[in-house]
Amino acid sequence: MGTLTRPAIAFVNPSVGFSDRRKSKPIGLAYIMAYLEKSGFPSSGFDFGDSEDDAVELAAHYGLDRFDVVGFSVYNESFRAAIAMAEWIKNRRPECLIVLGGPHATAVHEHILRRYSCVDVVVRREGEEAMLDLVRGLDVGVKADGDVDGDAGDRAGLTGIKGTTWRAPDGGGLLVNEDRDFVPDLDQIPFPDAEFTSHSGYPDLTYYDEVQGRLKAALTICSSRSCPYNCSFCGVLTIGRKYRSREAERVVAELLHFRARHGVNYEHVYFSDANFFVSPTRALEVAEALYEADPQVTFSFGTRVNQILKAAEVLPRLKECGLRFIELGIESASEPVLERLAKHVKPEVNVAAVRLLRRLGIEISLDFIMLDPATTLPDVRANLEFLREAGFYDYVPHDHLYTALVLYEGTPIRDFYARRFGVVFDPDDLPSPFTLFELPEVQRFSDTLRAFRKRWQDRIDDALAQGELALASMADGSDGSDGSDGSDGPDDSYLPRASHARLQLDVVSLRHAPNLFMERLLEDAEAGFPLLDEGGDEAGDDDGLEALLPRLGHDHVHLNDLIERTEAVAREAGFAQAPGAAAPHGRD
């Protein structure tokens, strides 16, 4: 037969509708692209994850209609953008094979194919092997099993691929094929070495190592897949709970590979595993392998509180090998909320895990869900008391104060609330978590808290960044003073000692400001909102917020005055920075 023609393949990460400066490459698609590349099927990647532009305009601008196969990785938030792109491509190129995959597509695969004629097939759960079978089958002269066949590109021969759902060729329904086994050996999958065309680019990923006192180039590595636990809100349940991990040597090899590939000396590893600490023994093997390869490498990971306590004896050695912080899934300090979330831990377990990590000097990155639809004011009170008593008043960023439970399709908690409310959620929709509260007092509490965030949080962040930058610069001697004689320093780029002390107090006050506002708001809510009602006619208006703002700083000034004063002192010291820049407080 003649020369084989490879299909032109594209993979797309559609927009979730907002911008996130911490954006990173879509690692799931990168793995699939690398897997296909290894078998001789190159592809093009497009990452629009944080674009706020119109989906169809993006598809047209980047020419997505020039490909034979376009695969979309979709979440609830990005589903409508994916469908808009798919419809545009299908109208312009009907023969293009449109493939959807990812957590949302897996959860509602039959619904998608019944409602949207622009989608040809859904790949469920993991995508590497099923996508390879698909593109092999589309390859001119090659069947799905790789054997030569003269019937070029016959799609009818593809509809039996395991792990896929199709619309029946005769229009008689759906073809839901049996699930494909999970990839048993993750070390057989190539490193996720794939490039993406991004509409907004990628910021450099860094980590400020306070122990070593320097900024490090950082790399994200996924060393395992899935998680054996059953948290009711977690999208991992959609893909499957079959936990598998990679060998420590392959993790080190990936770090060294990307150092050479990018010409960057990565010295911090962010492990993006759903649960890195499932096996403490294996976690220690990875840590020791990294340390042996390069003692300067530090790392961080995420896990559950109960696993911290079960493997407490391993933590000191992990710290010796470079562990800097743990992203800890605390979620709530309220026992009823923890039960709804199926965390299977008590609030006291959260407290014990935090105390253990504090005692060992291991930093905590906080995963928290402040509100869920059935939240009560006592639940909020339990959360705030925990944050204060556990030492999280100095914790930044303040995002954990504003979080609300998201009801992702395919999760048990979404089904729980559908039954509780007596409703059927549209599979295409992700209901706003800020509109589902059962209690009117919690709804008003949330509305007012969001109004505070909208008006004040960005200003607090910018002033805090500038004040911390000034203090950090002085601490490392870059303010121009050596401090050896107790004097203020030899040049103009310094602060008098009294001003320096006041700046320290003001920075601490700024860190505490959102917490203190939230406490005052909760007290007002518990009393029936007298201050909010007295301050304005509508919850969350400017007058109402004004009545609840705490007085801050050493002289108890208005929040606006504290912000302006902090920025002015930082400018005076010569260490002001552009609004929106990151403060040097550790995680990027």
Side-chain angles (χ1 to χ4, degrees):
M1 62 180 292
T3 303
L4 301 181
T5 302
R6 298 294 194 223
I9 307 164
F11 289 98
V12 180
N13 182 39
S15 172
V16 297
F18 62 89
S19 178
D20 185 346
R21 71 175 183 84
R22 294 166 292 185
K23 173 185 177 184
S24 59
K25 294 181 181 180
I27 194 169
L29 287 180
Y31 269 116
I32 295 174
M33 292 170 66
Y35 192 79
L36 298 190
E37 177 82 27
K38 181 180 179 181
S39 296
F41 292 89
S43 57
S44 301
F46 297 89
D47 182 12
F48 309 130
D50 69 341
S51 176
E52 298 179 78
D53 289 4
D54 179 77
V56 171
E57 291 179 0
L58 286 170
H61 179 76
Y62 290 98
L64 298 186
D65 57 336
R66 56 194 163 97
F67 294 95
D68 302 309
V69 182
V70 179
F72 295 90
S73 177
V74 292
Y75 296 83
N76 274 160
E77 297 96 330
S78 62
F79 177 70
R80 292 193 180 278
I83 290 299
M85 289 181 168
E87 289 177 338
W88 181 84
I89 295 168
K90 207 67 170 177
N91 286 335
R92 295 179 61 85
R93 190 181 174 89
E95 68 274 18
C96 177
L97 186 74
I98 301 293
V99 186
L100 263 60
H104 182 70
T106 297
V108 293
H109 54 105
E110 295 185 46
H111 160 80
I112 289 172
L113 288 168
R114 287 194 178 102
R115 182 175 288 188
Y116 298 101
S117 60
C118 59
V119 180
D120 297 301
V121 55
V122 171
V123 171
R124 308 190 307 272
R125 305 202 304 192
E126 293 179 334
E128 287 89 357
E129 293 179 338
M131 280 304 306
L132 180 57
D133 281 353
L134 279 172
V135 298
R136 276 179 171 167
L138 288 175
D139 193 15
V140 174
V142 180
K143 295 194 299 183
D145 60 8
D147 293 335
V148 175
D149 190 340
D151 187 8
D154 181 9
R155 291 189 186 180
L158 305 179
T159 56
I161 292 174
K162 288 183 179 180
T164 62
T165 303
W166 296 76
R167 192 177 298 101
D170 60 4
L174 300 181
L175 300 176
V176 182
N177 297 307
E178 65 178 294
D179 286 336
R180 181 181 290 270
D181 292 337
F182 292 105
V183 177
D185 185 1
L186 298 182
D187 290 322
Q188 297 305 308
I189 299 177
F191 301 141
D193 193 354
E195 297 299 320
F196 290 84
T197 298
S198 171
H199 190 59
S200 57
Y202 298 97
D204 292 334
L205 188 62
T206 59
Y207 172 74
Y208 184 79
D209 188 347
E210 294 183 352
V211 175
Q212 297 182 10
R214 61 190 180 91
L215 193 67
K216 294 181 172 182
L219 181 69
T220 298
I221 293 179
C222 185
S223 73
S224 66
R225 289 189 180 181
S226 198
C227 173
Y229 291 90
N230 287 298
C231 300
S232 65
F233 58 93
C234 183
V236 171
L237 297 179
T238 305
I239 301 299
R241 294 175 55 243
K242 179 67 174 178
Y243 175 79
R244 292 141 295 146
S245 61
R246 298 166 58 194
E247 295 294 332
E249 292 75 13
R250 286 291 290 172
V251 175
V252 173
E254 181 169 341
L255 171 66
L256 299 179
H257 169 83
F258 282 109
R259 277 183 173 182
R261 175 80 165 82
H262 299 154
V264 176
N265 186 35
Y266 296 113
E267 290 187 302
H268 185 84
V269 175
Y270 290 105
F271 284 108
S272 62
D273 307 39
N275 189 342
F276 179 83
F277 212 42
V278 170
S279 168
T281 301
R282 178 255 173 190
L284 184 57
E285 290 174 353
V286 172
E288 291 181 334
L290 284 171
Y291 186 80
E292 183 178 354
D294 185 350
Q296 296 300 309
V297 172
T298 52
F299 64 95
S300 55
F301 61 81
T303 192
R304 293 167 49 96
V305 292
N306 60 317
Q307 290 180 275
I308 292 295
L309 298 179
K310 288 179 180 178
E313 72 281 356
V314 174
L315 294 172
R317 178 56 181 160
L318 289 177
K319 184 181 178 183
E320 291 175 0
C321 291
L323 173 61
R324 288 296 187 262
F325 73 87
I326 293 176
E327 184 176 345
L328 199 57
I330 293 175
E331 316 309 349
S332 178
S334 165
E335 188 166 350
V337 177
L338 290 172
E339 290 176 357
R340 287 196 292 273
L341 300 180
K343 293 294 294 184
H344 301 297
V345 298
K346 300 291 186 180
E348 53 265 29
V349 177
N350 289 334
V351 174
V354 169
R355 286 176 177 171
L356 173 61
L357 294 178
R358 297 261 194 231
R359 187 167 67 250
L360 294 173
I362 297 172
E363 187 183 353
I364 297 170
S365 176
L366 187 61
D367 281 349
F368 210 74
I369 300 173
M370 182 61 69
L371 303 169
D372 81 315
T375 290
T376 64
L377 294 182
D379 294 332
V380 179
R381 171 63 64 192
N383 285 340
L384 292 186
E385 289 178 354
F386 165 79
L387 291 174
R388 176 184 283 277
E389 294 170 5
F392 287 110
Y393 256 51
D394 285 323
Y395 183 87
V396 288
H398 296 101
D399 296 355
H400 60 286
L401 298 177
Y402 307 111
T403 53
L405 177 69
V406 179
L407 304 181
Y408 288 110
E409 187 62 70
T411 59
I413 198 68
R414 181 169 169 127
D415 295 336
F416 169 83
Y417 276 112
R419 294 191 301 270
R420 187 175 178 121
F421 295 155
V423 301
V424 176
F425 294 118
D426 188 323
D428 295 348
D429 289 337
L430 187 63
S432 169
F434 300 106
T435 62
L436 299 175
F437 301 114
E438 293 181 330
L439 299 177
E441 63 267 28
V442 176
Q443 184 67 64
R444 190 175 186 189
F445 174 90
S446 173
D447 291 344
T448 308
L449 185 62
R450 293 177 71 204
F452 172 85
R453 183 183 195 181
K454 181 178 180 180
R455 181 177 178 189
W456 291 105
Q457 190 61 57
D458 284 347
R459 294 191 61 198
I460 291 171
D461 290 342
D462 290 339
L464 186 58
Q466 295 183 48
E468 289 192 336
L469 181 63
L471 292 173
S473 300
M474 295 169 198
D476 65 17
S478 58
D479 61 345
S481 66
D482 58 23
S484 59
D485 59 358
S487 65
D488 290 330
D491 58 32
D492 292 332
S493 112
Y494 68 91
L495 284 178
R497 184 171 298 168
S499 297
H500 182 274
R502 284 195 295 270
L503 178 60
Q504 288 179 311
L505 289 174
D506 286 350
V507 165
V508 170
S509 293
L510 283 174
R511 280 176 172 258
H512 293 178
N515 299 274
L516 295 173
F517 172 81
M518 195 168 177
E519 282 200 343
R520 296 199 67 185
L521 172 60
L522 178 59
E523 291 172 358
D524 199 47
E526 291 169 334
F529 296 104
L531 292 177
L532 204 58
D533 288 336
E534 181 181 348
D537 294 331
E538 298 180 5
D541 70 7
D542 288 351
D543 291 335
L545 288 181
E546 183 69 26
L548 293 171
L549 290 179
R551 297 287 165 165
L552 301 159
H554 68 279
D555 49 355
H556 305 289
V557 298
H558 190 280
L559 178 56
N560 182 72
D561 296 334
L562 181 67
I563 290 172
E564 291 185 346
R565 183 168 73 193
T566 302
E567 292 173 336
V569 173
R571 285 194 300 271
E572 176 188 348
F575 297 114
Q577 64 183 40
H585 51 65
R587 295 172 302 282
D588 183 48

